[in-house]
Amino acid sequence: MGKILAVTNQKGGVGKTTTSVNLASSLSYLGKKVLLVDVDHQANATTYMGINRANLIHTVADIFNENTSIENIILKVESVDVDILPARYELGHIEDNLIAHDNKDFILSNALERVRDDYDFIIIDCPPSLGIVTINALTASDSVLIPVQCEFLALDGLTQLLNTIRMIQNKQKYNQRTLTIEGVLLTMLDTRSNIGYEVINEVRTYFKEKVFKTIIPRNVKVSVAPSHGLPVTEYSPRSKGSLSYQNLAKEMVEINERV
Ligand SMILES: Nc1ncnc2c1ncn2[C@@H]1O[C@H](COP(=O)(O)OP(=O)(O)OP(=O)(O)O)[C@@H](O)[C@H]1O
Ligand SMILES: [Mg+2]
């Protein structure tokens, strides 16, 4: 049974999508079956994986609108052995339809349960908010991976995220799951400035052993890869950014095999 993991932080631009895409590809190199789920109406994970949004017949919004089943939406990524549940701008309009829905927090969870056995890991790239879509993602998940950018105000807003996680844990009693913190991932470390190292210390003091040993450096290949529609692990496999994401995947597999 696959592990469902939400990559989340309501702060924007901290590396959620970059992490989701490159962790998905790196896990596939380790022989894991992976489904990447894009639940951000910006649809960056879909684009980063080289999918032309204009050609999509179905998207994740169809799950929330209950138009079709999940099996009809999942696509194969061309460049890596990863499946994807793509998103598009429509996802930005689902909230109004959901207001009257009895079970609105469990829609994604119910859909993912149908395909969970087909995968080792299901990775959900969340939007930069704690709205209904993120609540759905967290409710569906076994654990959260929290990317934290090694910059000023890195920990800003994390209390709110941790409170939300606690709220979800209470709600999950209904679907026999308990959301845990998979780990906090330090991203975009600029090795030339002190602030990054200060943030590392601060985050390690707060989250202790929950911080991944792997730290993702700021690396230009990581920022260029999406414009080629490729994970950096394909675009520049030996770059520092690519190697760090491959290390993260190994670290995660080790953690999960230990339990
Ligand atoms: N390690 C890195 N080195 C250099 N650039 C990076 C790195 N990680 C992410 N970036 C760049 O930083 C920007 C933000 O990254 P990303 O889109 O992954 O963040 P996000 O948290 O998903 O943003 P949003 O909150 O809008 O969804 C992107 O332009 C991305 O290419
Ligand atoms: Mg994103």
Side-chain angles (χ1 to χ4, degrees):
M1 192 163 75
K3 178 158 196 178
I4 307 182
L5 183 88
V7 178
T8 191
N9 184 338
Q10 78 274 27
K11 202 169 153 96
V14 297
K16 292 181 289 294
T17 305
T18 304
T19 299
S20 303
V21 163
N22 289 297
L23 182 59
S25 66
S26 299
L27 286 167
S28 82
Y29 303 151
L30 297 175
K32 303 297 176 192
K33 286 267 324 155
V34 185
L35 173 66
L36 174 65
V37 179
D38 189 352
V39 291
D40 184 357
H41 69 87
Q42 299 179 96
N44 290 340
T46 302
T47 310
Y48 282 24
M49 278 300 200
I51 288 168
N52 184 346
R53 288 178 277 175
N55 296 340
L56 293 172
I57 297 165
H58 291 296
T59 70
V60 71
D62 292 314
I63 288 181
F64 288 98
N65 292 329
E66 298 175 324
N67 287 338
T68 188
S69 70
I70 185 165
E71 292 88 345
N72 294 332
I73 312 175
I74 292 174
L75 300 173
K76 288 208 168 304
V77 172
E78 257 180 44
S79 60
V80 280
D81 188 14
V82 168
D83 288 352
I84 185 167
L85 194 59
R88 202 166 44 191
Y89 59 87
E90 294 97 321
L91 193 58
H93 306 299
I94 58 155
E95 301 218 354
D96 293 344
N97 305 348
L98 292 183
I99 289 170
H101 197 292
D102 289 339
N103 233 347
K104 61 178 183 298
D105 296 347
F106 288 86
I107 299 172
L108 186 64
S109 180
N110 291 337
L112 291 179
E113 275 318 307
R114 294 168 60 97
V115 297
R116 191 174 164 97
D117 284 344
D118 300 340
Y119 297 98
D120 297 308
F121 289 96
I122 297 179
I123 298 173
I124 312 177
D125 180 29
C126 293
S129 82
L130 292 172
I132 180 76
V133 169
T134 299
I135 299 294
N136 259 271
L138 293 174
T139 307
S141 293
D142 299 299
S143 69
V144 282
L145 188 158
I146 308 171
V148 168
Q149 192 181 352
C150 295
E151 293 288 346
F152 181 55
L153 294 180
L155 290 171
D156 219 34
L158 282 187
T159 313
Q160 206 187 339
L161 176 58
L162 296 176
N163 286 339
T164 305
I165 290 173
R166 242 166 262 135
M167 179 191 90
I168 302 287
Q169 286 168 336
N170 282 330
K171 198 172 300 192
Q172 277 181 328
K173 286 179 190 137
Y174 299 102
N175 66 350
Q176 282 90 44
R177 200 168 292 176
T178 311
L179 189 63
T180 60
I181 295 181
E182 185 77 23
V184 175
L185 177 68
L186 293 153
T187 64
M188 292 185 244
L189 175 66
D190 180 351
T191 49
R192 294 161 306 178
S193 83
N194 285 337
I195 175 88
Y197 293 97
E198 285 167 22
V199 171
I200 293 174
N201 281 335
E202 202 179 348
V203 171
R204 285 196 172 139
T205 305
Y206 193 78
F207 286 99
K208 307 204 167 52
E209 75 286 353
K210 278 291 174 199
V211 184
F212 286 108
K213 291 191 186 73
T214 307
I215 295 177
I216 311 299
R218 189 171 276 286
N219 175 245
V220 71
K221 300 283 190 202
V222 175
S223 56
V224 173
S227 64
H228 296 267
L230 293 170
V232 72
T233 55
E234 282 293 303
Y235 174 68
S236 181
R238 306 304 302 165
S239 63
K240 282 189 174 157
S242 165
L243 294 173
S244 65
Y245 275 112
Q246 292 178 58
N247 282 337
L248 175 68
K250 287 182 200 144
E251 193 180 341
M252 238 189 70
V253 168
E254 255 172 47
I255 293 171
N256 283 284
E257 281 171 1
R258 229 184 286 143
V259 286

